[in-house]
Amino acid sequence: MNASDDHYIIKKTDNLIEACYYIKKNGHDPLWRDHSSLNTSLPFLLTQLFVVLFVDRILLLILKYLRQPPIVAHILCGVLLGPTMLSRTSFSRKYIFPHKTILVLETFANLALTYYMFLVGLEMEFTLIMHAGSQVVSIAAAGIIFPLLFGFGLYFMAVTKSEHFDGRGSMFWAIALTATNFPDLTKILADLKLLRTNIGKIAMCSAIISDIFTWFLLIMAISIFNGQKFNAVLSTGIFILISIFALRPTVAWLIDRTSRGEIISDTHVWFIMAGILLCGLATDACGSHSIVGAFMFGAILPHDDTVRTKILERLHDVVTGLLMPLFFLVCGIRSDLRYMFQHTPWEMVLIVVVMSWVAKIASVFFISLHYKMSSMDSLVLGLLMNTKGVLALIVLNTGRNIKVLSSFSSPIVFGLVKL
């Protein structure tokens, strides 16, 4: 089926949508431009950025009084601006989110994600793993294995009858259920004043182990389903080893030799920002994902308070407040709740949401009881370990990017609802 609009032609088939855009030019030269400014990408990007920031800030103010974490407002903002609500209107499709601008929007969203994952690696306390006992390892393992199995089962139960079914998508759905978003977990623990308690320490240690394993599974899945298999895994592994044993001491030595006492200058920050992109380029060339390199670069930087504070002062607000809303917007544009409810029985939606929620909570709850924790503490730990966020969305969007999850089927929307 072919459809046309003022500035682009859309061709729809069973497997994809092709949008070819063109520019209409007048025969005469106007005073300012030879064509409308809305035919170029930059005005659209500025409009999209304004809309998403405006809606996101309003939702943050509203949900703050309901004691909800910021991730809830970000995801809700993406859903409201996506085809579920705003993007369904003809005005939005023509003046705010036309097809021709989505590629530019996704490019900036991936750039934001690259810098965000650097900050995640920078904030992770890997020294906690060195003191992790059998209890922490067992809790992390239970929170990985059982949700992984549940994810496979739920995918085949919910999506098998879909015309867009692809069995490979079950891998990404299962991996998404294993994730525990460490940055959001630490914020929740800080808000609840549980950061220094025994439950807080167990949750943070288990979350780090869980997220590392999730990263490993994601790299494996990307490598296998991209057709590169062993080469991508091997080259990414070599990059990680080089980062730990060669790049880490080199960066620490350079910072120590070039810094004036304990002062980290802006020049250091700019070189670090360039290093983020270089490491992201390296892992992308290896066949995995640019966010893997950015995460590793953040993980190997010196974690003393001076370096970390200086970098966070320069990057945190810009990345999380200005750029990351674009990533959540892209997630929302790729999801259509109306389509889900029209083509999926509500009973199946309810089953998937509840079982996705129960899988990690129940597994952590019972293993915690085994280690003589009280029922209340076990339940609290299970709820904390079920914290989902950006990492789960990364997994689902990666499956969408390599076309094992379809934008017209339900898995990505199910993942968003589960959050």
Side-chain angles (χ1 to χ4, degrees), residues 141-169:
I144 294 170
I145 296 173
F146 290 103
L148 192 69
L149 298 177
F150 267 76
F152 280 112
L154 288 174
Y155 182 89
F156 283 99
M157 181 181 68
V159 193
T160 302
K161 296 181 180 179
S162 171
E163 59 180 316
H164 305 285
F165 172 76
D166 188 336
R168 297 175 299 173

Side-chain angles (χ1 to χ4, degrees), residues 189-211:
L189 291 172
D191 292 340
L192 297 176
K193 296 181 172 37
L194 296 175
L195 201 58
R196 302 302 177 185
T197 63
N198 185 50
I199 292 179
K201 293 177 181 178
I202 293 175
M204 286 193 296
C205 292
S206 301
I208 293 175
I209 296 174
S210 178
D211 284 359

Side-chain angles (χ1 to χ4, degrees), residues 59-117:
L59 291 173
L60 282 171
L61 290 174
I62 295 174
L63 294 177
K64 180 180 180 181
Y65 291 101
L66 300 177
R67 300 180 63 84
Q68 296 298 312
I71 186 72
V72 177
H74 299 326
I75 294 176
L76 184 58
C77 175
V79 172
L80 292 178
L81 296 179
T84 303
M85 295 288 289
L86 181 63
S87 294
R88 186 174 290 271
T89 64
S90 59
F91 177 85
S92 175
R93 291 196 301 268
K94 185 175 182 179
Y95 295 107
I96 304 179
F97 301 113
H99 291 287
K100 67 177 183 179
T101 65
I102 300 302
L103 182 60
V104 176
L105 183 62
E106 290 184 347
T107 301
F108 276 88
N110 283 315
L111 178 64
L113 191 60
T114 300
Y115 277 104
Y116 175 81
M117 292 313 302

Side-chain angles (χ1 to χ4, degrees), residues 15-86:
N15 297 322
L16 52 86
I17 291 181
E18 294 181 355
C20 301
Y21 63 92
Y22 58 91
I23 297 175
K24 291 183 178 179
K25 292 187 177 181
N26 299 323
H28 63 281
D29 293 330
L31 180 62
W32 300 110
R33 291 175 179 264
D34 60 349
H35 61 272
S36 171
S37 62
L38 287 179
N39 286 330
T40 60
S41 297
L42 181 58
F44 278 112
L45 179 63
L46 297 178
T47 303
Q48 292 161 358
L49 187 59
F50 165 76
V51 171
V52 69
L53 290 178
F54 181 77
V55 176
D56 187 63
R57 290 297 111 179
I58 292 177
L59 291 173
L60 282 171
L61 290 174
I62 295 174
L63 294 177
K64 180 180 180 181
Y65 291 101
L66 300 177
R67 300 180 63 84
Q68 296 298 312
I71 186 72
V72 177
H74 299 326
I75 294 176
L76 184 58
C77 175
V79 172
L80 292 178
L81 296 179
T84 303
M85 295 288 289
L86 181 63

Side-chain angles (χ1 to χ4, degrees), residues 6 9 32 80 82 103 146 211 221 247 252 257 312 342 356 396:
D6 290 344
I9 299 175
W32 300 110
L80 292 178
L103 182 60
F146 290 103
D211 284 359
L247 187 58
R257 291 295 299 269
L312 290 177
Q342 290 173 357
S356 299
L396 294 171

Side-chain angles (χ1 to χ4, degrees), residues 177-395:
L177 291 185
T178 66
T180 298
N181 203 52
F182 180 80
D184 290 314
L185 175 62
T186 55
K187 293 176 183 177
I188 292 173
L189 291 172
D191 292 340
L192 297 176
K193 296 181 172 37
L194 296 175
L195 201 58
R196 302 302 177 185
T197 63
N198 185 50
I199 292 179
K201 293 177 181 178
I202 293 175
M204 286 193 296
C205 292
S206 301
I208 293 175
I209 296 174
S210 178
D211 284 359
I212 290 175
F213 192 78
T214 301
W215 277 110
F216 173 76
L217 290 177
L218 180 60
I219 294 172
M220 292 290 292
I222 293 173
S223 304
I224 292 173
F225 295 137
N226 267 341
Q228 298 167 335
K229 297 184 179 180
F230 179 76
N231 291 336
V233 176
L234 179 61
S235 57
T236 304
I238 292 174
F239 171 82
I240 293 174
L241 292 176
I242 292 174
S243 299
I244 295 174
F245 296 105
L247 187 58
R248 180 181 181 182
T250 301
V251 170
W253 179 81
L254 287 173
I255 292 177
D256 182 66
R257 291 295 299 269
T258 57
S259 61
R260 298 185 299 272
E262 296 183 354
I263 300 176
I264 304 297
S265 67
D266 290 340
T267 304
H268 292 92
V269 177
W270 306 136
F271 274 105
I272 288 172
M273 291 179 65
I276 298 170
L277 299 178
L278 182 61
C279 290
L281 178 63
T283 51
D284 188 76
C286 290
S288 53
H289 200 295
S290 58
I291 59 178
V292 178
F295 175 82
M296 279 304 305
F297 190 63
I300 65 171
L301 281 182
H303 278 205
D304 60 85
D305 293 337
T306 304
V307 176
R308 180 182 299 184
T309 302
K310 188 71 173 182
I311 296 174
L312 290 177
E313 285 178 354
R314 294 291 186 272
L315 291 181
H316 187 271
D317 290 342
V318 175
V319 173
T320 60
L322 182 64
L323 296 178
M324 277 304 290
L326 294 176
F327 170 73
F328 294 104
L329 175 60
V330 169
C331 294
I333 290 176
R334 290 180 168 187
S335 307
D336 190 347
L337 293 179
R338 294 190 184 187
Y339 182 93
M340 181 186 71
F341 285 111
Q342 290 173 357
H343 296 80
T344 308
W346 68 268
E347 298 91 344
M348 182 60 66
V349 176
L350 183 62
I351 291 173
V352 170
V353 171
V354 172
M355 294 306 294
S356 299
W357 182 71
V358 166
K360 195 149 194 167
I361 295 176
S363 58
V364 172
F365 175 79
F366 287 114
I367 197 68
S368 299
L369 290 179
H370 173 74
Y371 279 94
K372 310 300 182 183
M373 294 181 66
S374 67
S375 300
M376 182 58 69
D377 288 348
S378 300
L379 179 60
V380 170
L381 186 58
L383 291 170
L384 291 172
M385 289 296 296
N386 196 47
T387 303
K388 295 292 189 292
V390 175
L391 183 54
L393 292 176
I394 291 173
V395 174

